[in-house]
Amino acid sequence: FANALKIKPEDFLVQLGELGFEEVTLDSLMAGETAALVAQEYGYEPTVDTGGSQDLKPRPPPEDPSVLPLRPPVVTIMGHVDHGKTTILDYLRQSSVAAQEHGGITQHIGAFSVKLSSGKPITFLDTPGHAAFLTMRQRGANVTDIVVLVVAADDSVKPQTLEALRHARAAKVPIIVAINKIDKDGARIDAVKHDLAKAGLEIEDFGGDVQVVCVSGKTGQGMDDLEENILTLSEILDHRAEPDGAAEGWILESSLKVTGKVATVLVKRGTLRPGDYIAAGLTWAKIRQLRNEAGVDIAEAPPGTPVEILGWKDLPAAGDQVIQSPDEDKAKTAVSYREGLREREKDAAEYEVITEARKVLQEKRAREKATSEGGTGNTGGTGVQEVLLEEENGMKMVNFVVKGDVHGSVEAVCAAIQEIGSHEVRPRVLRSATGPISEFDVEHAATSKSVLVNFATTTPGHVQRMAEEQGVRILDHTIIYHLVDDVKANLSEYLTPDI
Ligand code: GDP
């Protein structure tokens, strides 16, 4: 690389040190993206060959979707807590195809399919709530065709109703309102309709096109209407997909069961069958078995079908895109390409963080030097960390830098931290890496106003002292739920007190 940049290797090592690289030797390896950044420092305009052709990608969209067969709509149920999402899903699940055929026994696999008397199926995602919808969306997976917004007739529109409305709108997913609990004495259907209209929802009673169905998840009243309404809307939206060609889909959830590594896939295009090869995220599978929500083997999963798949090398993650591969080799190549890509992205991000932190640090030192020469007596290192907050869309953010013993635990810790938070204050993992907390981590936390998290490693004494001097907080833990409690306690310090 030094030769390519026309610098003496010995000089290059020194300059890399100045750029923030630690312990670089003549036989160190540097990732392509990082090398490109370094080359830019030397005035070159490098291009990086990322080898993208090795990856498996979705095929282009169909030229004329209107000639394709119809597929079942995929529906997510959202709404305020206790308004009856779970009850409605339970009612529907009992009427699921698999349940009818297999004595009413269904397991939770992340989705199930319901067939109406007309024989037309609807697929329901069976994780109620907003978190699941958001997680999928954040990962780019727009799996939901229709949102059913549940509003309790005796409680009307509440904060999470509005939140669900916002999410559905942001995702441009059409809504059907289900006014639930109409069997209750306190049911005030008209009041709910007015509140919905006030919230800006153009419901059909007031001349809009959003359908409103009155139901009771408890007695089953109106549930047929709800299903009919979903189908009618789906027909208007014209949900179609090709049943042939390389299959594509999304991972809804994955888990380790007694039968092995299992993941539920929602097929979007094409048809999956046992023996097929698929890749998802950083893993792949030769499909050993396809199972429906009753745990029964099925021969194929066409578009719109949720299906449990066995045969994974590793567990894929919810929200990973699934793409069929023509053979084992292609699946493996794609996964190793993606692993390489992820490493390179991490290196590049690390490099950026290092340069940024160094810049801030140099400026800080320069300022300190100027003040001490000016004799104002500012010694820096007050021992108290400044406010950790930044406003993002009116939301308070608390930054975290996560270190841990192994890659797996770092990932788990980051995931756990990211799940915490309220509508007022949320955590943000700025950077994560394996290994004990280093001086650089402390500097980075100090400059970026982050809380350091250490999971199951030992922080060297001098680093601990440095953190104390700079007023950087370190949360030290070996058990994830203790850590989560501690993070929660940290976040709650920034909540506006209830009056
Ligand atoms: P979720 O938090 O939205 O999933 O709400 P749940 O489904 O857990 O329902 C909350 C409570 O309302 C439970 O006690 C249910 O039994 C009750 N509930 C749900 N739907 C109905 C309904 O249609 N009628 C009546 N009377 N109670 C209901």
Side-chain angles (χ1 to χ4, degrees), residues 79-88 128 150 180-184 215-219:
H80 195 72
V81 65
D82 279 347
H83 279 198
K85 299 178 291 292
T86 314
T87 308
I88 290 178
V150 176
N180 188 36
K181 307 199 189 183
I182 53 163
D183 59 294
K184 287 183 89 167
V215 300
S216 165
K218 202 166 185 178
T219 66

Side-chain angles (χ1 to χ4, degrees), residues 229-247:
N229 276 292
I230 292 171
L231 269 188
T232 312
L233 182 58
S234 171
E235 272 159 25
I236 296 169
L237 298 169
D238 208 27
H239 296 127
R240 293 173 187 273
E242 49 283 65
D244 46 11

